[in-house]
């Protein structure tokens, strides 16, 4: 009802389809050859999608799978049958929950999980509140029948405001504030670290949604967010995660924690923001590149090394120290004496590893052997020369100190990339 009313207020050529009932011919019309019989045209009706400016696909979770696939290009590319829908601007959909914690009698039977690829094409996923979540005033508005069936007409106010917002939004797209980009990259990294899948496509949609929200609320999205910005960003973030459409639950606490981390980082400036960016970088070679390419000064570099060695696991800290130490002692890193000492404290024991690896195999019990050594050997056998020597030292160190490696092959590959980053600086 809301989306149909908005389309009326904006004066859009609107189509409202029930996905559980429509056939594909309802969307495209009936095909027939042109006069020269060289191509196929479609016989349009008032219900076909060709001239639509806005489309609402209702009950999209009850749509047949083959129709869902056809709707994919309509939502994502504004195309149908490979042909462009030149007038189409707005694509909306509605669905019931695909799973329910209510009693069996109240479950939405037939409402299936949405294909994640299709769901990921919608910029915003808004959960409509149930009765218990509504305020007393909202409950009275819902219950009142006044206006039901009347055409939405606000005298053009919404259309005029939207035209102004769209113009400002286009300008903001060309000059997106670094604050928003830092927030989006930070919150995406934090969510993925917490096990919440956020696609690269979703990050761009989130950036656009934040720009749009700021444009509407403060007129100019290129200015720093006003006092309401923190709550606004959290609201947009919460409505940008599509997991609920395929039945997954994302903890509100996880979302809020990621938001708090990203917001605090985005509001930082100078060296503090750079350190925050380094903290969010997930790979050792990525941290190495940031240290070499954009570290503000040696004091910040020393602090960065201290944080890396303290925040990473013991095995990853050892790998970073071993990779960075030669460049540090050669004066090639933007760090001070404290940073060099921190690297040396961890790297020196790796240069000459001595110790004994022991384990006990109990008769009659499986899984008591020492599987790491066999896995390390498989990785080392495929290496040669200096790379093998470095990997041996690192693996021996992990074995002596009983540091578990989930994926030794990936660990060694990341270590090698980190070595190459620092070695490139030494050669230069």
């Amino acid at each position: 009802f809301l989306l149909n009313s908005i389309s009326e207020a904006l004066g859009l050529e609107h189509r409202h389809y029930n996905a559980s009932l429509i056939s594909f011919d309802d969307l495209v019309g009936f095909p027939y050859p042109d006069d020269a019989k060289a191509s196929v045209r479609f016989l349009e009706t008032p219900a076909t999608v060709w001239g639509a400016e806005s489309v609402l696909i209702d009950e999209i979770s009850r749509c047949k799978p083959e129709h869902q696939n056809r709707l994919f290009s309509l939502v994502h590319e504004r195309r149908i049958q490979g042909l462009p829908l030149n007038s189409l601007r707005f694509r909306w959909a509605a669905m019931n929950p695909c799973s329910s914690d209510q009693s069996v009698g109240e479950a939405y039977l037939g409402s299936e999980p949405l294909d994640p690829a299709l769901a990921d094409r919608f910029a915003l996923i808004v959960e409509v509140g149930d009765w218990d979540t509504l305020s007393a005033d909202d409950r009275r508005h819902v219950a009142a029948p006044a206006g039901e069936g009347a055409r939405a007409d606000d005298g053009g106010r919404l259309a005029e405001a939207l035209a102004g917002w769209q113009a400002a939004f286009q300008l903001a797209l060309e000059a997106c504030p670094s604050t928003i980009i830092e927030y989006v990259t930070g919150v995406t990294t934090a969510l993925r670290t917490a096990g919440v899948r956020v696609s690269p496509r979703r990050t761009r949609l989130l950036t656009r949604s934040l720009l749009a929200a700021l444009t509407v609320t403060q007129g100019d999205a290129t200015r720093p967010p006003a006092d309401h910005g923190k709550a606004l960003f959290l609201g947009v973030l919460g409505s940008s995660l599509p997991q609920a459409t395929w039945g997954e639950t994302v903890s509100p606490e996880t979302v809020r924690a990621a938001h708090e981390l990203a917001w605090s980082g985005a509001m930082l400036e100078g060296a503090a923001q750079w350190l925050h960016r380094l903290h969010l970088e997930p790979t050792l070679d990525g941290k190495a590149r940031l240290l070499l390419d954009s570290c503000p000064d040696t004091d910040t570099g020393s602090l960065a090394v201290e944080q890396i060695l303290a925040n990473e696991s013991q095995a990853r800290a050892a790998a970073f120290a071993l990779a960075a130490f030669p460049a540090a002692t050669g004066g090639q890193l933007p760090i001070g004496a404290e940073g060099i000492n921190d690297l040396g404290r961890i790297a020196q024991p790796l240069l000459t590893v001595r110790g004994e690896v022991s384990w006990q195999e109990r008769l009659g019990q499986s899984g008591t052997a020492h599987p790491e050594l066999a896995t390390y050997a498989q990785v080392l056998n495929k290496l040669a020369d200096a790379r093998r020597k470095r990997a041996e030292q690192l693996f021996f160190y992990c074995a002596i100190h009983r540091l578990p490696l989930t994926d030794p092959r990936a660990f060694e590959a990341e270590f090698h990339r980190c070595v190459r980053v620092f070695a490139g600086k030494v050669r230069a």
Side-chain angles (χ1 to χ4, degrees), residues 156-399:
R157 292 192 300 276
L158 179 60
E160 182 180 356
L162 181 60
W165 293 331
Q166 287 175 330
F169 177 72
Q170 291 300 322
L171 292 176
L173 284 178
E174 301 301 321
C176 183
S178 60
T179 300
I180 296 180
I181 294 177
E182 290 295 333
Y183 173 84
V184 171
T185 54
V187 81
T188 299
T189 301
L191 286 171
R192 290 180 67 106
T193 301
V196 180
R197 167 85 167 118
V198 180
S199 71
R201 177 187 303 103
R202 175 63 49 186
T203 63
R204 185 173 298 175
L205 290 175
L206 176 56
T207 302
R208 291 174 62 93
S209 297
L210 291 170
L211 278 174
L214 284 176
T215 299
V216 171
T217 56
Q218 65 182 36
D220 182 3
T222 61
R223 291 189 287 109
D227 293 339
H228 70 287
K230 187 175 182 180
L232 178 70
F233 277 40
L234 178 60
V236 173
L237 174 63
S239 296
S240 297
L241 301 177
Q243 278 78 359
T245 64
W246 59 78
E248 289 186 10
T249 301
V250 180
S251 164
E253 291 75 19
T254 299
V255 176
R256 181 175 290 277
H259 163 72
E260 292 286 346
L261 178 64
W263 178 265
S264 61
M267 295 301 110
L268 296 173
E269 296 180 352
Q273 187 178 83
W274 182 86
L275 283 169
H276 181 75
R277 188 183 306 171
L278 184 84
H279 172 70
L280 292 176
E281 169 56 46
T283 65
L284 296 180
D285 49 301
K287 293 180 186 295
R289 289 191 187 91
L290 280 173
L291 181 64
L292 291 173
D293 296 343
S294 58
C295 181
D297 51 66
T298 56
D299 288 340
T300 305
S302 296
L303 184 58
V305 167
E306 178 186 344
Q307 290 186 2
I308 292 171
L309 299 180
N311 294 332
E312 295 290 343
S313 67
Q314 187 176 346
R316 289 174 62 80
F320 184 86
L322 185 59
F325 190 57
T329 55
Q332 301 298 315
L333 301 188
I335 61 177
E338 291 182 359
I340 297 174
N341 291 336
D342 287 338
L343 289 172
R345 174 174 48 84
I346 295 180
Q348 288 288 354
L350 278 87
L351 300 180
T352 304
V353 181
R354 288 189 177 91
E356 182 178 286
V357 177
S358 63
W359 69 93
Q360 182 179 4
E361 294 192 38
R362 300 175 183 176
L363 295 177
Q365 292 188 12
S366 62
T368 60
H370 202 287
E372 290 88 349
L373 297 181
T375 307
Y376 296 168
Q378 292 174 1
V379 176
L380 293 172
N381 285 339
K382 296 184 178 181
L383 306 179
D385 302 327
R387 179 173 180 178
R388 174 167 178 154
K389 283 294 184 182
R390 286 191 298 266
E392 283 179 351
Q393 295 300 101
L394 186 58
F395 283 160
F396 292 165
Y397 176 85
C398 291

Side-chain angles (χ1 to χ4, degrees), residues 10-70:
L10 294 176
L12 301 173
E13 186 69 29
H14 182 60
R15 303 286 186 270
H16 180 178
Y17 300 110
N18 188 318
S20 65
L21 300 175
I22 60 169
S23 67
F24 196 62
D25 289 341
D26 295 331
L27 287 175
V28 300
F30 300 100
Y32 67 95
D34 62 7
D35 294 339
K37 294 183 173 56
S39 63
V40 174
R41 302 177 64 182
F42 293 92
L43 182 63
E44 298 184 30
T45 72
T48 54
V49 74
W50 298 108
E53 296 173 293
S54 65
V55 168
L56 168 58
I57 306 167
D58 207 355
E59 301 289 0
I60 192 171
S61 60
R62 299 180 190 273
C63 182
K64 296 178 181 178
E66 59 268 25
H67 288 165
Q68 235 182 67
N69 291 334
R70 287 167 171 168

Side-chain angles (χ1 to χ4, degrees), residues 131 138-146:
W131 186 261
D138 287 339
R139 291 175 180 179
R140 284 190 284 270
H141 284 305
V142 170

